[in-house]
Structures are given as structure tokens and as C-alpha cells.
């Protein structure tokens, strides 16, 4: 994973010990956890990749912005709607291109694809009703 913002950049690979992760399962987990944060049901989220010490901390300010940090260092602050769209776009790209190397019956592949579909539906519903991301 690579996260970039106006205050920094954090990457999951290239650390000692390595912070690489089971990416398909980790993306599915991220999507499941981000939904409640972006919809305003939660104010904070501490996310850790599966099988990894890679961690991101998210804080929703209740005024439409989400701050992202890693190991206490700020990465950036972004509108919740923009974060949702960017994460969805990257997850869709992984699901389309990255999942082709996995067997069709792979649990990791299927979990990732299902999480992308659910996240897209959740984001569309929030935008359509004017709740959560659209108003956050």
C-alpha cells in the first residue's frame, strides 16, 4: 500500500521487518472498516494490514475532513468524499488487475471483490441520500 498526502508518504513495503501484507484480504478489511468512518458512524479508525505491522490512523473531524497518520506522523488531510472515491478507485483497480493472478475460487479474491462491491454501494447510497460522505 502507498498513501500520499500533503504532509507525507507512507509505504507498506521496504521496511525491516517487512510490513508487506496479504493485500487482497487487507484491502477488503480496509474497505469494511472505512465505511463507518466515512459515513460518520465512527470518528476514529486504527487500521492494520493483515499479517503486517503496517498501520494507518484515521480521524474524521465531523466537518467533512479525514486526517490520515502513520506511526504518529501526519500523512495528510482530505475531504471524506475524496478519500472514499480515491480508495474505491484503487480498490477497483486491484480487484480488476491484481485479482487476475488468483484462482477464480480463491477466498481472498472473492472477499476483495465483494468488499469493493459493498463499498461502492455504500458510497453511492450515502451520496444519493445526502448523508455521510456527501454531507460529512
Amino acid at each position: 500500500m502507498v498513501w500520499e498526502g500533503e504532509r507525507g508518504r507512507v509505504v507498506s513495503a521496504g521496511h525491516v521487518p517487512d510490513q508487506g501484507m496479504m493485500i487482497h484480504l487487507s484491502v477488503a478489511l480496509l474497505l469494511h472498516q472505512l465505511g463507518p468512518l466515512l459515513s460518520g458512524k465512527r470518528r476514529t479508525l486504527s487500521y492494520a494490514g493483515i499479517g503486517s505491522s503496517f498501520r494507518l490512523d484515521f480521524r474524521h473531524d465531523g466537518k467533512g475532513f479525514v486526517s490520515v497518520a502513520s506511526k504518529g506522523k501526519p500523512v495528510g488531510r482530505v475531504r471524506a468524499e475524496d478519500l472514499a472515491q480515491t480508495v474505491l478507485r484503487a480498490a477497483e483497480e486491484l480487484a480488476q488487475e491484481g485479482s487476475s493472478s488468483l484462482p477464480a475460487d480463491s477466498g481472498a479474491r472473492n472477499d476483495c471483490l465483494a468488499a469493493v462491491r459493498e463499498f461502492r454501494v455504500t458510497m453511492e447510497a450515502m451520496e444519493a441520500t445526502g448523508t455521510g460522505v456527501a454531507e460529512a
Side-chain angles (χ1 to χ4, degrees):
M1 282 190 184
V2 176
W3 288 75
E4 291 185 74
E6 73 280 355
R7 308 251 338 250
R9 181 175 195 256
V10 63
V11 180
S12 63
H15 299 273
V16 177
D18 185 27
Q19 292 182 337
M21 63 189 77
M22 293 185 278
I23 193 68
H24 292 87
L25 295 175
S26 294
V27 167
L29 177 63
L30 177 65
L31 296 176
H32 288 304
Q33 291 182 343
L34 270 178
L37 180 92
L38 295 171
S39 69
K41 293 177 184 168
R42 293 185 64 178
R43 287 290 181 115
T44 62
L45 166 64
S46 289
Y47 164 81
I50 295 177
S52 173
S53 61
F54 180 73
R55 180 177 162 171
L56 295 170
D57 296 305
F58 299 88
R59 179 173 303 278
H60 194 295
D61 69 1
K63 298 176 184 175
F65 288 88
V66 176
S67 296
V68 182
S70 178
K71 297 182 182 179
K73 296 179 183 173
V75 175
R77 184 171 176 262
V78 63
R79 287 185 34 188
E81 183 176 355
D82 294 338
L83 177 62
Q85 291 170 356
T86 300
V87 168
L88 178 59
R89 193 172 325 128
E92 286 175 330
E93 184 178 310
L94 174 70
Q96 291 171 359
E97 297 172 15
S99 295
S100 62
S101 62
L102 298 174
D105 63 348
S106 164
R109 179 180 190 270
N110 292 333
D111 284 352
C112 186
L113 292 171
V116 168
R117 284 190 303 271
E118 291 170 17
F119 191 78
R120 184 183 318 111
V121 167
T122 299
M123 295 302 105
E124 289 171 355
M126 284 190 275
E127 290 171 356
T129 61
T131 61
V133 171
E135 280 188 337

